Amino acid sequence: MRVIIVGGEELVYFLGRLLISGGHSVSVISKNPEDCSEIVRQIKALVICGDGADPRRLEEAQAMRADAVIAVTPRDADNLAVCQIAKHRFEVPRTVALINDPDNETLFKDLGVTLVFNQTRMISSLIQQELSIEDIVNLLPIKEGKVIATEVRIRETHACAGKTLVEMALPKDTLLSVIIRGDSVIIPRGDTKLLADDTAVLISTPQAQGAALRKLTGE
Amino acid sequence: MFVVIIGCGRLGSRLAIEASKGGMNVVVVDKNKRAFDLLTAEFSGFQVVGDASNQEVLRSAKISDADIVAAVTDNDNVNLMVAQAAKHLFGVGKVLARVTDPLKAEIYAQLGLKVLCPATVAADAIGAEMLK
């Protein structure tokens, strides 16, 4: 895939490195000349110094041949302009934007941005999860948070300890996908028992997550 | 008529004063409090201090009640985002965005947004004057 990333140093560097190692070809548009020379030094990418919301810079970055444009500047308005211009001027099929103001999520989606990352909400929900129950950690949101993976550390006191999956009867829209027991990884079946000190990975919708966690922990 | 003007620079302040003199109810939004110094005594509307790219600020300016929204800050992308929010999210009937880059203005005009590009407007006026 040909990907154009628009934004500043840190995030662009890590994202660029990740995409390049995944076999994608990466171009970067960044405003700050110092950021640009740093990115050139760090990753193998075409780097253009300038405003990514300027159609001329997108053209220089070969936007007409790009499969995706990712806008990760700290300003929501800039990210929206980058995505809209990429989509409408250069017919880029996939546009991805980072947003800071959670209110902007609906607007960006209505205006045709393919994928919207709401960083404020992601970070705050991670913190909340960490603070509420330390045995339960939200691993990652999939498909913009429509599916979530949750890691649960099983304790002796938990309702599920010593029970098989069938006995537990987890609610609809949830799947206990993996059990990590010591060094071994178990893909559970109906007759697999959960034991204390296991780590279970639960896949679920956000709506069903609470009920499933209550079944597991008994809290 | 209720008008919300985003950006109180030379253009925004002048628009606000004219609309106010014309008997319209006006709210002006600017992130810099000192920008309102450009408003003269003829201005009888309200001022809201805040960054218009934040929807909370737009709501406090009562944007969903507006008949007209003019986004005329010195930042093209902010103007475009605010104008589209006003149109698509807050259902404002008449929305104008000032866009200094003619190429960007052309792209958004094709998307159906009312954009005003000062360079194009001035070139047209000067051109017409020269051809007279």
Side-chain angles (χ1 to χ4, degrees):
Chain A
M1 250 194 354
R2 293 167 199 268
V3 184
I4 299 173
I5 310 173
V6 178
E9 189 193 0
E10 298 274 306
L11 191 49
V12 170
Y13 162 62
F14 290 112
L15 203 56
R17 196 178 60 173
L18 205 68
L19 288 167
I20 290 168
S21 70
H24 303 291
S25 110
V26 173
S27 306
V28 173
I29 308 175
S30 195
K31 255 184 194 163
N32 183 337
E34 283 158 30
D35 284 357
C36 287
S37 49
E38 194 59 22
I39 296 163
V40 168
R41 217 171 50 79
Q42 289 171 328
I43 59 174
K44 197 172 157 290
L46 167 69
V47 179
I48 291 160
C49 193
D51 175 8
D54 183 337
R56 300 158 194 89
R57 298 294 91 72
L58 282 167
E59 190 172 355
E60 282 169 24
Q62 306 269 299
M64 55 296 238
R65 281 198 272 152
D67 300 293
V69 168
I70 306 175
V72 292
T73 79
R75 288 162 304 273
D76 291 2
D78 292 356
N79 293 340
L80 178 64
V82 169
C83 289
Q84 287 192 299
I85 293 168
K87 179 179 169 165
H88 296 288
R89 179 80 175 185
F90 300 103
E91 297 174 352
V92 177
R94 285 178 73 79
T95 54
V96 181
L98 191 69
I99 56 168
N100 297 286
D101 179 357
D103 287 345
N104 280 333
E105 191 166 344
T106 319
L107 178 67
F108 277 43
K109 283 186 181 160
D110 286 354
L111 294 176
V113 178
T114 323
L115 200 61
V116 181
F117 282 105
N118 184 338
Q119 65 174 346
T120 313
R121 209 180 60 188
M122 278 184 334
I123 293 170
S124 63
S125 83
L126 278 177
I127 291 171
Q128 270 171 8
Q129 286 288 343
E130 286 286 341
L131 291 181
S132 53
I133 322 167
E134 61 184 35
D135 291 337
I136 296 169
V137 180
N138 258 13
L139 291 178
L140 75 162
I142 304 163
K143 189 68 190 165
E144 294 166 59
K146 289 195 182 97
V147 180
I148 39 184
T150 318
E151 186 183 290
V152 188
R153 182 115 172 119
I154 309 299
R155 303 226 171 254
E156 231 171 301
T157 52
H158 283 167
C160 65
K163 278 193 188 162
T164 66
L165 286 200
V166 171
E167 286 166 340
M168 258 182 268
L170 286 173
K172 201 168 138 295
D173 296 333
T174 62
L175 172 73
L176 212 161
S177 56
V178 178
I179 297 169
I180 298 155
R181 183 171 297 160
D183 287 334
S184 57
V185 173
I186 303 162
I187 306 291
R189 297 153 53 104
D191 58 358
T192 310
K193 262 189 193 168
L194 269 177
L195 303 177
D197 293 331
D198 281 356
T199 297
V201 178
L202 180 81
I203 305 282
S204 70
T205 60
Q207 296 79 16
Q209 184 196 30
L213 291 176
R214 281 192 293 277
K215 277 266 184 199
L216 288 171
T217 61
E219 282 160 8
Chain B
M1 273 299 204
F2 174 38
V3 192
V4 174
I5 295 168
I6 312 292
C8 192
R10 284 190 295 263
L11 177 58
S13 60
R14 195 188 163 109
L15 269 179
I17 292 163
E18 289 304 317
S20 206
K21 278 187 350 197
M24 293 177 170
N25 294 317
V26 185
V27 171
V28 199
V29 181
D30 202 292
K31 62 178 177 186
N32 181 3
K33 196 165 177 264
R34 293 189 56 189
F36 299 121
D37 292 350
L38 290 171
L39 295 169
T40 58
E42 290 162 301
F43 175 74
S44 56
F46 293 94
Q47 306 164 359
V48 171
V49 183
D51 183 348
S53 53
N54 186 332
Q55 281 181 27
E56 204 51 52
V57 172
L58 296 180
R59 273 191 283 270
S60 68
K62 303 263 189 298
I63 196 166
S64 48
D65 297 335
D67 300 296
I68 305 172
V69 169
V72 294
T73 75
D74 57 3
N75 184 318
D76 283 0
N77 297 343
V78 169
N79 294 343
L80 288 165
M81 185 167 86
V82 170
Q84 293 182 96
K87 191 174 162 182
H88 296 281
L89 223 53
F90 297 106
V92 179
K94 193 163 195 174
V95 175
L96 295 162
R98 170 215 218 176
V99 180
T100 50
D101 179 349
L103 184 51
K104 214 186 266 182
E106 188 193 310
I107 294 169
Y108 278 87
Q110 281 169 0
L111 287 178
L113 202 67
K114 261 258 184 292
V115 289
L116 281 177
C117 179
T120 315
V121 172
D124 288 352
I126 293 167
E129 197 62 38
M130 288 195 305
L131 291 172
K132 237 183 210 172

